[in-house]
Amino acid sequence: MSQIITLPHADRFFEIRLESIGGLGAHAAGQVLATAAVLRMGLNGAHFSSYGSEKKGSLVRSFVRLGPAERPIRNSAPVETPDAIVVFHAALLRSPATLAGLRKDGTFIYNAPPGVVPEELAALPRTARVIRVNALGIAMEEKSRPNAVLLGALSGQFPFLDTGKILEALSEEFAGKHPEAVASNERAFRRGATDFEVLEGVGHAEG
């Protein structure tokens, strides 16, 4: 009998927005998360991405909606008030749109080396949870990519997300085309779920 998963909010979907630039794997991360939620966790899930242009270095936003199995997801609009925002490149923090809409009890995860706390983060809700993870550094050490690290960081912050099943989906994604990357991605994912820093007193907005 499959485990019944309870989402944080009974009255609405759980929504995630991934902010990135082309080539860092935000679309793939969103796809893996939604696939794991639907095929392995028994949830309903929807995922799509928007691109500035079809090239590396352009803006990419990836959206994930999760809900209980009995509640269809018919909304295909971009996620404007996410429960979680994951930023794949610190340069994107200079844009107000990157931080926009985070719920007052939301979680904000960004990729940056230790000690980097841009002043723009003050625009976040003061009650939001802010997490910094050195995704690029970990990815280089493990010979992986930042998306595996950030996917691990995101998964580790929410008890309803089964990290084991998400890791299975990540490994399956690469097993066919890049089997040599499976082990390094697993190490990067696991480090993302544990090697992070929670920052206090960063956001100043009321939400």
Side-chain angles (χ1 to χ4, degrees):
M1 186 175 180
S2 60
Q3 180 183 1
I4 298 176
I5 295 176
T6 302
L7 281 87
H9 308 284
D11 58 336
R12 60 178 176 82
F13 297 122
F14 186 87
E15 298 182 318
I16 301 165
R17 190 171 75 221
L18 310 179
E19 301 275 358
S20 184
I21 57 176
L24 295 182
H27 174 78
Q31 190 172 42
V32 166
L33 178 57
T35 299
V38 173
L39 299 183
R40 299 173 187 272
M41 296 167 56
L43 297 172
N44 261 336
H47 165 252
F48 64 98
S49 299
S50 63
Y51 303 86
S53 63
E54 296 293 329
K55 63 182 180 180
K56 288 186 176 181
S58 64
L59 292 177
V60 175
R61 306 181 102 190
S62 195
F63 310 101
V64 178
R65 281 189 178 90
L66 303 176
E70 67 276 8
R71 185 178 180 187
I73 299 177
R74 298 189 175 94
N75 185 358
S76 59
V79 172
E80 295 184 351
T81 54
D83 296 281
I85 296 176
V86 183
V87 182
F88 280 57
H89 198 291
L92 296 173
L93 298 174
R94 293 195 288 266
S95 170
T98 299
L99 287 70
L102 182 69
R103 293 182 179 271
K104 64 181 181 180
D105 59 347
T107 297
F108 188 87
I109 301 170
Y110 72 103
N111 168 26
V116 177
V117 186
E119 61 183 15
E120 289 85 355
L121 295 183
L124 292 171
R126 60 180 177 78
T127 51
R129 183 170 45 163
V130 181
I131 294 168
R132 178 177 60 217
V133 57
N134 186 13
L136 181 57
I138 293 173
M140 292 178 64
E141 291 174 7
E142 301 298 347
K143 297 180 173 57
S144 179
R145 298 182 67 193
N147 62 344
V149 182
L150 290 167
L151 186 58
L154 174 65
S155 304
Q157 297 307 314
F158 300 98
F160 81 93
L161 292 175
D162 189 320
T163 55
K165 289 181 169 58
I166 295 171
L167 181 55
E168 288 174 4
L170 176 65
S171 298
E172 187 176 87
E173 175 76 14
F174 285 88
K177 297 180 180 178
H178 305 285
E180 72 284 353
V182 171
S184 59
N185 284 342
E186 179 177 344
R187 293 193 303 270
F189 179 94
R190 292 190 184 280
R191 286 189 62 183
T194 57
D195 293 4
F196 59 84
E197 184 178 0
V198 178
L199 306 179
E200 302 291 344
V202 174
H204 296 159
E206 290 302 314

